Amino acid sequence: MSRDLTIHSAIHDYTVNFVDDFTKSLHGLVTPDDMLLIDANVADLYKDRLQPILIKFPHIIIQATEEKKNYTELVPIIEKLIQLGFRKNNKIFAIGGGITQDIATFIAANLYRGVEWYFFPTTLLAQADSCIGGKASINFGPYKNLLGNFYPPWKIFIDLSFIDTLPRKEIVSGLGEMTHFYFVSGECDYQVMRESYSKAFDDKTTLEKLVHRNLNIKKATIEIDEFDRKERLIFNYGHSFGHAIESVTGYRIPHGIAVSYGMDIANFVSLKMGLIDESQYQKMREVLQFNWQEVPLGNIDINSFLNALRKDKKNIGSEVRVILTRGLGQMFISSLNIDGQADNWIREYFTNQI
Ligand SMILES: NC(=O)c1ccc[n+]([C@@H]2O[C@H](COP(=O)([O-])OP(=O)(O)OC[C@H]3O[C@@H](n4cnc5c(N)ncnc54)[C@H](O)[C@@H]3O)[C@@H](O)[C@H]2O)c1
Ligand SMILES: [Zn+2]
């Protein structure tokens, strides 16, 4: 069965192809006028396979850190593109995870008012989630993901063998991010994630099925609401609380793991509000806990956490916008007054639940 997908977009339709050898797809498309943007760790780990391409085609190596995903850090990359004679009809080929993707999307969308670009995601998070949807998020000074736009690649090539070199905590981060799509989807997908989780680490068939299903869950929603105005907002489930965790831990906790803690906090608040009962809460927690083993949360300064939550960019006025749940597949947008009762619930969560 073909696992390839076409994503319909108001900007342009694009495809996702599952491939066995990314170098073949790259060789078939890239020309000497194009530019490769490659994650430094990937360039190093895959140097033998990339060497025949790198000696022939211009490339820029990117350090995949949050510091480098900053607006000012894009300047040297754009300068280099211009210096090397990159033009509007040339193409960018990005090879890396979500950081490389965000940098490539932002530059491809803005340089010469838009150039064609292609993406080879190398992390599980990028393969299963971020590669589709078209979002770019760039940090501005200390503010994470403050600048951005929508500009999907023309084609995406998923080579699951990249996952062989990915550190375990990055695989868990990918599975954590995927868990939130599976929970939003409902009971049936929850069961699939619960049963497949442990196999995903060394069985590529299981991993490919999980990635493919994740992309399909996301595709169904982004095709209705590509620009995050209504239906797609549900995928912020776990994210407001997760971003606050990333912020107060200085990004020590990888994104997908922070989101897994974030989902548990959203579920705990939902439990306290009487939206779900204890058994529903524990049922979801059973799977969420798989994602916590690799990176324990450690001590969280609750006041800093609450302050980070107050500053979330999705907030409107003094209320904190969050996604709560009435159970699997029943997430909904809500707002919390965290100076009121929610303050006590969050304090109780960090004191007793973790
Ligand atoms: N644009 C979007 O839709 C979107 C969605 C989710 C997250 N993001 C952003 O993506 C970033 C996180 O991305 P990510 O989790 O994909 O990882 P990443 O790009 O931050 O990479 C994580 C680490 O893994 C390394 N790496 C990448 N591929 C590897 C491989 N195959 N083998 C070994 N090491 C490898 C990288 O060098 C880096 O050290 C965050 O900045 C987040 O804000 C963007
Ligand atoms: Zn996310």
Side-chain angles (χ1 to χ4, degrees):
M1 188 185 89
S2 166
R3 297 212 170 265
D4 298 342
L5 307 173
T6 298
I7 313 294
H8 300 290
S9 158
I11 303 165
H12 56 248
D13 289 358
Y14 52 104
T15 54
V16 182
N17 297 307
F18 284 76
V19 298
D20 294 329
D21 179 358
F22 73 96
T23 59
K24 282 192 191 146
S25 315
L26 197 52
H27 253 306
L29 284 167
V30 68
T31 77
D33 294 326
D34 297 330
M35 178 64 74
L36 301 156
L37 299 184
I38 310 176
D39 175 318
N41 287 328
V42 174
D44 187 38
L45 287 162
Y46 293 84
K47 58 176 175 294
D48 294 342
R49 290 172 70 191
L50 281 167
Q51 199 55 26
I53 295 167
L54 298 192
I55 51 173
K56 276 203 276 185
F57 303 108
H59 53 275
I60 298 174
I61 303 294
I62 289 176
Q63 302 295 330
T65 62
E66 287 297 329
E67 291 74 37
K68 291 285 173 192
K69 201 185 89 166
N70 207 295
Y71 186 58
T72 51
E73 297 290 336
L74 303 186
V75 174
I77 303 175
I78 297 170
E79 274 173 355
K80 192 150 185 204
L81 277 158
I82 297 167
Q83 262 169 25
L84 291 171
F86 187 87
R87 297 190 190 238
K88 184 164 170 66
N89 60 330
N90 302 145
K91 302 184 280 295
I92 290 176
F93 291 83
I95 309 174
I99 291 196
T100 309
Q101 175 190 351
D102 277 334
I103 293 172
T105 312
F106 196 83
I107 294 178
N110 289 295
L111 187 63
Y112 309 132
R113 265 189 239 104
V115 300
E116 239 176 77
W117 78 284
Y118 295 76
F119 186 36
F120 294 76
T122 64
T123 62
L124 183 56
L125 186 141
Q127 294 189 340
D129 166 19
S130 68
C131 69
I132 63 169
K135 277 188 191 173
S137 303
I138 294 293
N139 305 332
F140 186 77
Y143 305 107
K144 161 108 173 151
N145 290 349
L146 197 82
L147 305 177
N149 52 352
F150 292 85
Y151 195 68
W154 267 244
K155 287 180 194 290
I156 297 152
F157 297 94
I158 296 184
D159 183 341
L160 286 173
S161 69
F162 276 122
I163 307 307
D164 295 342
T165 55
L166 201 60
R168 191 176 167 95
K169 77 168 192 231
E170 296 297 338
I171 301 180
V172 173
S173 175
L175 287 166
E177 184 80 327
M178 290 159 77
T179 305
H180 104 285
F181 286 98
Y182 278 72
F183 280 17
V184 166
S185 177
E187 173 73 31
C188 190
D189 279 312
Y190 162 88
Q191 291 298 348
V192 170
M193 179 54 85
R194 198 169 75 89
E195 282 153 27
S196 316
Y197 191 98
S198 59
K199 287 188 223 138
F201 291 89
D202 22 52
D203 173 6
K204 280 284 168 359
T205 311
T206 301
L207 188 66
E208 181 170 336
K209 279 190 192 146
L210 284 175
V211 168
H212 188 255
R213 176 66 192 143
N214 206 82
L215 290 169
N216 269 308
I217 296 171
K218 185 168 176 182
K219 169 182 153 77
T221 300
I222 59 177
E223 287 186 339
I224 303 168
D225 176 27
E226 184 170 11
F227 301 115
D228 241 350
R229 293 188 184 119
K230 196 172 166 217
E231 291 84 350
R232 190 172 172 177
L233 292 172
I234 287 298
F235 293 142
N236 287 328
Y237 173 50
H239 277 65
S240 301
F241 299 116
H243 286 151
I245 287 176
E246 287 181 285
S247 161
V248 298
T249 58
Y251 298 95
R252 177 178 59 82
I253 314 264
H255 178 72
I257 300 179
V259 167
S260 285
Y261 286 113
M263 283 185 265
D264 195 49
I265 302 172
N267 295 350
F268 186 71
V269 170
S270 304
L271 172 71
K272 288 288 171 186
M273 289 173 79
L275 297 165
I276 53 172
D277 62 24
E278 182 69 28
S279 72
Q280 287 169 297
Y281 173 64
Q282 291 301 344
K283 182 175 168 176
M284 289 192 260
R285 195 163 218 249
E286 191 194 324
V287 173
L288 293 173
Q289 278 175 331
F290 298 155
N291 298 318
W292 301 344
Q293 288 155 10
E294 210 58 31
V295 190
L297 196 51
N299 273 339
I300 292 285
D301 182 295
I302 304 175
N303 289 330
S304 305
F305 176 88
L306 290 166
N307 275 335
L309 207 52
R310 280 188 194 95
K311 286 195 201 121
D312 194 279
K313 66 177 180 294
K314 294 183 289 298
N315 295 345
I316 295 172
S318 59
E319 300 264 284
V320 176
R321 281 238 276 173
V322 291
I323 307 296
L324 299 179
T325 182
R326 295 191 177 88
L328 289 162
Q330 297 181 70
M331 284 62 187
F332 63 97
I333 302 170
S334 185
S335 56
L336 278 185
N337 176 0
I338 51 162
D339 297 316
Q341 206 170 19
D343 178 292
N344 295 330
W345 295 334
I346 289 168
R347 285 178 194 282
E348 182 184 338
Y349 179 84
F350 284 115
T351 313
N352 299 333
Q353 294 297 114
I354 285 289

